[in-house]
Amino acid sequence: MAAILPPAMLGILGGGQLGRMFAVAAKTMGYSVTVLDPDESAPAAAFADRHIQAPYNDPAALAELAASCAAVTTEFENVNADAMRELAKRTRVSPSGDCVAIAQDRIAEKSWIRKAGLATAPYLAIESVEDIQVDLAPYLPGILKTARLGYDGKGQVRVNTQDEARAAYANLGGQACVLEKMLDLQLEVSAIVTRVSSAQSAVFPLAENIHKNGILDESIVPARVAPALARQAQEMARKLAEALDYVGVLAVEFFVLADHSLVVNEIAPRPHNSGHYTLTACLTDQFQQQVRAMCGLLPGRTDLLSPVVMVNLLGDVWREDGREPHWDVLAEAPNAQLHLYGKKTARPGRKMGHFNVMAATADEALEQARALKDTL
Ligand code: ADP
Ligand code: MG
């Protein structure tokens, strides 16, 4: 397919921080951007040429997007996959509605991961109450996760016994779930792959991710794992993208177990919070890759320019009276870069921004990043 070149109009479903960073990349590369998001103050709108303010599945808004954009992508995991399939009849859409549908449903996601020959945690798919009447011992102690609409640890319940698991399933209103065995994690890592075609894909350096309360807190790059393990995770991400015939940016989260084996946790059909380090530390960043893939251009090179640590800034960092954190601390650190998403209200757990710290080693960057965060 012919490459889409500037100044073509690119569309994005969703106008959160990921859409905002996409818009910055696309505009910088000379494209125009239309954002579809119902929120008047959507973070991406500030950088877009056009903001269609309507529900994500509004037929008139989708028709307008299809008519005015040379290609459309998404930043929003729970976008309606049918809306994307419908759009694809009229314009170029990536990733495909089919891939997005798989990533949205933990049951489909896990079965695809296994189909691609990769390991998942032992899990039981629970689509109805009969499915949970089997012996649950292989999955206990475990985590019951809703099959759909979970993020940042939401929609998850830890369960220790069969009775607890059945009660938790009933509490979730009988919606489809997976019961997953709780694994003893040594580390969590993620690999982000950009795939345009079988012959054209590029994987970013592996990130080591530290979560707090189920939300990403820090990404450390390079991940502190053996180089062979990092390569293996990158190859697994590539293999998964291949199995899905994926076009776009695909994030793959892994667990590293005590025996150094890799288990795929979940995938996201878009740039990922754990890839924000690429904004300052890679030759091409993950949002430029999203633009390149949707336009049918070669993925850019993913070389790491410096060890880096990314720290998420949640609303919790703001003062209780709403005053801003001490940004001067970050502004005066020459090896730190602050990114704020332009969200008006800071709430606990809300992703407001992040900062990246570059240093000679990942450990040094981590030490400085933590010291900076403590003084904000
Ligand atoms: P979300 O969609 O909320 O990111 P995840 O499935 O990635 O959901 O779970 C969030 C976090 O919970 C993971 O990053 C990990 O720290 C922990 N977790 C999830 N599943 C397991 C598991 N099977 N064993 C151990 N820890 C887990
Ligand atoms: Mg996750």
Side-chain angles (χ1 to χ4, degrees):
M1 248 191 286
I4 295 169
L5 297 171
M9 178 70 82
L10 305 180
I12 185 159
L13 295 165
Q17 64 267 19
L18 299 175
R20 177 177 170 106
M21 290 181 268
F22 165 82
V24 171
K27 292 288 292 173
T28 305
M29 292 160 80
Y31 294 93
S32 300
V33 174
T34 298
V35 171
L36 172 63
D37 193 294
D39 180 2
E40 182 189 15
S41 54
F47 288 95
D49 296 273
R50 189 165 172 217
H51 177 194
I52 303 177
Q53 202 188 322
Y56 299 114
N57 55 359
D58 182 89
L62 290 168
E64 182 57 34
L65 204 63
S68 58
C69 296
V72 175
T73 188
T74 174
E75 61 110 49
F76 172 59
E77 198 161 342
N78 291 315
V79 64
N80 189 310
D82 281 332
M84 294 189 69
R85 294 186 184 106
E86 203 48 46
L87 271 177
K89 293 180 187 159
R90 288 171 283 172
T91 187
R92 243 154 95 163
V93 175
S94 65
S96 68
D98 291 352
C99 285
V100 168
I102 290 165
Q104 282 173 349
D105 182 309
R106 292 191 196 274
I107 298 174
E109 181 182 44
K110 287 184 192 299
S111 80
W112 267 94
I113 292 164
R114 290 201 172 167
K115 231 189 280 179
L118 308 178
T120 67
Y123 75 96
L124 176 72
I126 307 165
E127 284 168 297
S128 71
V129 71
E130 288 80 60
D131 295 335
I132 203 167
Q133 303 313 321
V134 299
D135 176 19
L136 303 179
Y139 317 104
L140 293 173
I143 309 184
L144 188 71
K145 302 181 181 178
T146 58
R148 302 179 67 85
L149 300 176
Y151 69 98
D152 289 345
K154 294 182 177 61
Q156 302 193 3
V157 191
R158 302 205 167 186
V159 292
N160 290 310
T161 64
Q162 314 228 17
D163 287 347
E164 272 178 34
R166 291 185 184 117
Y169 173 72
N171 266 337
L172 288 169
Q175 60 181 308
C177 288
V178 295
L179 175 61
E180 203 177 300
K181 188 173 173 63
M182 186 68 128
L183 300 175
D184 189 10
L185 312 185
Q186 192 196 24
L187 283 179
E188 295 188 62
V189 295
S190 57
I192 299 175
V193 56
T194 308
R195 183 177 179 278
V196 178
S197 68
S198 303
Q200 299 170 339
S201 65
V203 193
F204 282 110
L206 196 68
E208 172 185 340
N209 301 320
I210 298 180
H211 295 83
K212 267 193 197 145
N213 305 319
I215 307 178
L216 182 65
D217 184 37
E218 297 165 330
S219 293
I220 302 162
V221 189
R224 295 168 299 178
V225 298
L229 189 139
R231 277 196 301 276
Q232 193 193 345
Q234 289 175 306
E235 277 324 302
M236 286 167 75
R238 215 190 279 273
K239 201 167 161 188
L240 201 48
E242 196 60 38
L244 292 165
D245 194 18
Y246 191 88
V247 176
V249 174
L250 177 73
V252 184
E253 294 179 15
F254 298 90
F255 298 144
V256 182
L257 306 186
D259 65 357
H260 306 292
S261 62
L262 281 161
V263 164
V264 180
N265 172 27
E266 61 171 354
I267 62 175
R270 50 169 173 76
H272 193 254
N273 195 166
S274 69
H276 292 350
Y277 78 87
T278 65
L279 284 164
T280 45
C282 285
L283 212 50
T284 311
D285 72 54
Q286 61 171 348
F287 301 99
Q288 294 169 330
Q289 295 290 49
Q290 185 177 22
V291 173
R292 296 174 76 106
M294 76 191 287
C295 291
L297 308 174
L298 275 180
R301 278 177 55 171
T302 54
D303 312 40
L304 187 67
L305 304 174
S306 166
V308 57
V309 166
M310 189 269 336
V311 177
N312 258 348
L313 294 168
L314 304 183
D316 315 58
V317 180
W318 270 245
R319 324 254 157 250
E320 269 170 30
D321 61 6
R323 266 186 305 135
E324 297 284 316
H326 295 126
W327 296 135
D328 51 329
V329 171
L330 279 177
E332 285 180 23
N335 56 334
Q337 291 191 10
L338 174 64
H339 295 247
L340 292 175
Y341 307 149
K343 297 183 183 177
K344 292 211 179 66
T345 5
R347 283 190 298 271
R350 188 174 197 206
K351 290 177 178 172
M352 302 295 288
H354 68 268
F355 66 92
N356 290 343
V357 175
M358 280 67 63
T361 65
D363 284 324
E364 206 177 296
L366 184 58
E367 197 180 314
Q368 288 188 29
R370 287 181 175 168
L372 284 167
K373 188 176 182 190
D374 285 345
T375 51
L376 279 181

